[in-house]
Amino acid sequence: MSFDLVLFGGTGDLAWRKLMPALFQAFRHGSLPANGRIIGVARDDLSDDQYRELIQSRFKAVEGAKRPTEEEFKAFASMLHYLRLDLSKPADYKRLADLLNTRNADSIIMYVATAPALFTQTVEQIAVAGLNGPKTRVVLEKPLGHDLASNRAINEAVGKVLKENQVFRIDHYLGKPSVQNLFAMRFGNALFEPIWRREHIANIQITIAEDLGVEKRGAFYDQTGALRDMVQNHALQLVCAIAMEPPINAHADAIRDEKLKVLRSLKRWTPDSLGLHSVRGQYTAGTAYGERVQGYKEEPGVDPESRTETFVALRTEIENWRWAGVPIYIRTGKRLASRDARIEINFRPAPHAIFRSPAGVANKLVINLQPKDGLELHLLAQAQDQRVSTKAGVRAGMLPLAPVQLDLDFDKRFGTERVGAYERLLLDVIEGRLNLFVRSDEQEAAWHWVEPLIDSWGMDGGPRPYAAGTWGPSASSAMIARDGFAWGEEQ
Ligand code: BG6
């Protein structure tokens, strides 16, 4: 199978930070079809060789084992090509068409990793140059728009020149091995399904915490904020993966139909819930990795008066038969206490206590997304040292229980050289698998749900401050405490 992969934004941040390393890993793992061309496209004036040198120099920053040897890079580099292209010039797309027509590849992939404002124009010009034939697949990076209207405008423009099954809207969280395993756990095993519902689950918590600040993306982030950057896409896709009904098969539309139903069942916001069930914060100076770090407003590219949120905590519910009344808490932020992404499914306590259990402890399933990748099942077991309990005057048959856990570490079990999110998703595009990509109606439903938050936040007093290196504003803990629960690490 042959493919031509055109990387719009070929010298940009995403290309060298994520896409090139992922393509190289696929090449190293032998899964990248050999007869492929990767064509970087950007405005800089570079030859093929200069582009290869640029990519090679950037690979030096890649962590140890993932860095190519000279020999490996040489072999990989033979796939790399470069074309200077000004996105606003139709004649330049014609030159791209000429390059692609020098052979008849089985699939042509246009990866649009440019500024979002350029998506529509780029896709339209691809069509004008006659490059939207049935062999073409277009990959669109997030953010796709900044609200529902702009998202619809992009989807409509794209829909005029491409069929829905040619459009691959990427959400790299769906490519993470841990998220694959969430699908496998739910739909490849029968064990959890009977208890995966309101009768047995007390609450669900999704945490996507980052310890990094906004790094070099201050200007972009200041226009975006955590709600648009992480909640509208990654966090809501995780909600879908947890809450969707079992699809009738593994085909893309069967999966996406079920995810769409979840997004449409998310509890609508009311003036009360907007106040009570949403918290936003912005980091101030504090610590990270034991060192003093500056606050968000001091970051390069950020408006010193900025009201952009770097932290969001929300409470919602899914209004359907399976989930009615089960609170779902979502929280994400930058410069939090640690890099930690996980989903906690908190089960209801045993209905009748014959043991003395530690207060408030019940069964819990933790799906670790990163930095660990695995599953933990928290159970209660008989404490080892029974003398302690006897001394405390506990009668026989009523010894206290202690928390224990079954710990499944996927990195240990399957090795750390597992297929990363971008590698997996790029291979899916090359092979035409849409399962892990987001359909336009899903994306619109997600925007529809977050939009009242965006509107109400425009009118309130701004985000609450939190010191870098903490778990966000205390209002986030207060929000969940009102339901009688606590965030996982605070119990
Ligand atoms: C991106 C966001 O989509 O996801 C970034 O734009 C964020 O702000 C990143 O840092 C997090 O991805 P990961 O895979 O490191 O959790």
Side-chain angles (χ1 to χ4, degrees):
M1 196 191 84
S2 57
F3 71 91
D4 280 345
L5 168 59
V6 182
L7 272 183
F8 290 88
T11 55
D13 189 59
L14 190 79
W16 70 266
R17 239 174 6 96
K18 299 274 190 195
L19 305 180
M20 282 297 173
L23 287 164
F24 171 70
Q25 288 308 318
F27 171 78
R28 180 186 259 177
H29 292 150
S31 37
L32 196 62
N35 195 2
R37 289 193 298 186
I38 300 167
I39 306 165
V41 156
R43 275 220 297 232
D44 315 59
D45 205 354
L46 299 175
S47 65
D48 282 358
D49 280 339
Q50 283 169 324
Y51 186 58
R52 289 170 188 151
E53 275 163 33
L54 178 74
I55 298 299
Q56 187 172 25
S57 70
R58 286 176 166 171
F59 265 113
K60 298 211 167 90
V62 169
E63 49 183 297
K66 295 202 168 157
R67 200 179 305 143
T69 62
E70 280 287 325
E71 213 160 286
E72 278 177 322
F73 186 78
K74 219 169 137 210
F76 176 66
S78 66
M79 300 177 95
L80 297 181
H81 302 268
Y82 183 79
L83 186 78
R84 188 182 54 74
L85 184 144
D86 182 334
L87 292 175
S88 63
K89 290 204 178 127
D92 284 7
Y93 291 84
K94 175 77 181 44
R95 289 194 299 112
L96 175 62
D98 292 343
L99 176 63
L100 294 174
N101 291 335
T102 54
R103 68 176 195 160
N104 189 14
D106 295 326
S107 59
I108 298 174
I109 295 127
M110 308 279 185
Y111 198 120
V112 188
T114 61
L118 301 171
F119 286 173
T120 308
Q121 181 193 22
T122 307
V123 172
E124 282 167 358
Q125 288 300 325
I126 286 172
V128 171
L131 288 172
N132 57 337
K135 283 200 274 178
T136 297
R137 297 176 192 139
V138 172
V139 186
L140 296 174
E141 261 296 335
K142 63 168 268 282
L144 225 61
H146 57 273
D147 57 12
L148 180 59
S150 53
N151 176 256
R152 276 200 181 133
I154 296 174
N155 281 335
E156 270 166 28
V158 171
K160 280 194 187 134
V161 295
L162 294 162
K163 298 212 171 68
E164 179 65 34
N165 66 7
Q166 293 178 283
V167 187
F168 290 66
R169 293 177 195 80
I170 205 161
D171 183 314
H172 78 281
Y173 266 62
L174 290 177
K176 286 187 186 283
S178 40
V179 180
Q180 310 296 306
N181 267 316
L182 175 55
F183 286 113
M185 185 197 73
R186 285 203 57 205
F187 306 131
N189 296 277
L191 185 64
F192 288 108
E193 171 54 23
I195 54 170
W196 208 254
R197 56 192 64 248
R198 64 187 302 285
E199 289 80 0
H200 300 283
I201 293 179
N203 70 81
I204 295 171
Q205 302 182 11
I206 298 174
T207 296
I208 313 177
E210 296 184 85
D211 49 7
L212 291 176
V214 289
E215 307 297 292
K216 294 183 186 136
R217 297 159 77 224
F220 159 80
Y221 193 89
D222 209 30
Q223 301 298 315
T224 309
L227 185 71
R228 292 181 172 99
D229 191 42
M230 297 296 286
V231 177
Q232 185 273 338
N233 32 70
H234 305 323
L236 288 185
Q237 285 295 325
L238 295 181
V239 171
C240 290
I242 299 161
M244 67 193 269
E245 293 300 314
I248 54 165
N249 57 35
H251 293 158
D253 278 331
I255 295 170
R256 302 188 305 176
D257 287 346
E258 296 304 338
K259 288 199 289 164
L260 179 64
K261 284 189 213 159
V262 173
L263 293 165
R264 289 194 173 151
S265 320
L266 286 169
K267 192 168 187 166
R268 298 287 155 219
W269 296 102
T270 63
D272 277 352
S273 68
L274 282 168
L276 283 170
H277 297 158
S278 81
V279 174
R280 62 179 175 147
Q282 188 186 73
Y283 65 84
T284 55
T287 48
Y289 320 109
E291 286 186 10
R292 198 85 197 131
V293 290
Q294 61 193 357
Y296 176 70
K297 288 192 177 103
E298 288 86 60
E299 299 277 16
V302 171
D303 175 359
E305 303 290 317
S306 175
R307 288 163 50 97
T308 299
E309 78 286 355
T310 60
F311 173 93
V312 179
L314 303 173
R315 178 204 190 277
T316 188
E317 290 174 24
I318 294 168
E319 296 188 308
N320 66 13
W321 196 281
R322 187 189 285 265
W323 294 114
V326 178
I328 299 179
Y329 306 101
I330 298 171
R331 103 187 130 153
T332 183
K334 302 252 181 222
R335 281 278 188 248
L336 295 183
S338 63
R339 177 168 186 253
D340 183 5
R342 86 192 113 99
I343 300 167
E344 293 194 5
I345 313 287
N346 288 302
F347 292 93
R348 294 187 189 281
H352 172 64
I354 62 164
F355 295 102
R356 287 199 341 165
S357 305
V361 179
N363 298 141
K364 164 158 90 170
L365 179 71
V366 181
I367 298 144
N368 285 310
L369 274 68
Q370 59 197 29
K372 255 176 48 175
D373 171 13
L375 290 179
E376 290 163 21
L377 185 59
H378 294 233
L379 303 166
L380 289 162
Q382 194 74 71
Q384 286 274 312
D385 188 355
Q386 300 191 348
R387 280 165 311 164
V388 177
S389 325
T390 317
K391 268 190 207 148
V394 181
R395 276 177 289 131
M398 289 188 60
L399 297 174
L401 300 184
V404 290
Q405 68 192 58
L406 291 172
D407 204 341
L408 183 55
D409 182 330
F410 288 131
D411 283 336
K412 264 200 208 136
R413 174 64 185 80
F414 300 118
T416 43
E417 271 293 288
R418 299 173 64 205
V419 175
Y422 270 98
E423 179 180 351
R424 163 80 205 248
L425 294 174
L426 280 161
L427 289 170
D428 280 354
V429 183
I430 292 171
E431 283 156 27
R433 277 191 301 269
L434 270 163
N435 303 32
L436 297 176
F437 293 84
V438 182
R439 209 167 55 191
S440 63
D441 48 7
E442 277 181 81
Q443 220 171 34
E444 289 181 16
W447 276 115
H448 185 69
W449 186 73
V450 297
E451 212 160 56
L453 289 163
I454 299 175
D455 294 344
S456 84
W457 288 353
M459 294 180 297
D460 72 6
R464 296 164 191 265
Y466 65 95
T470 64
W471 282 105
S474 57
S476 144
S477 308
M479 177 186 83
I480 183 165
R482 279 197 294 273
D483 290 339
F485 302 124
W487 290 111
E489 82 293 338
E490 293 163 8
Q491 279 174 0

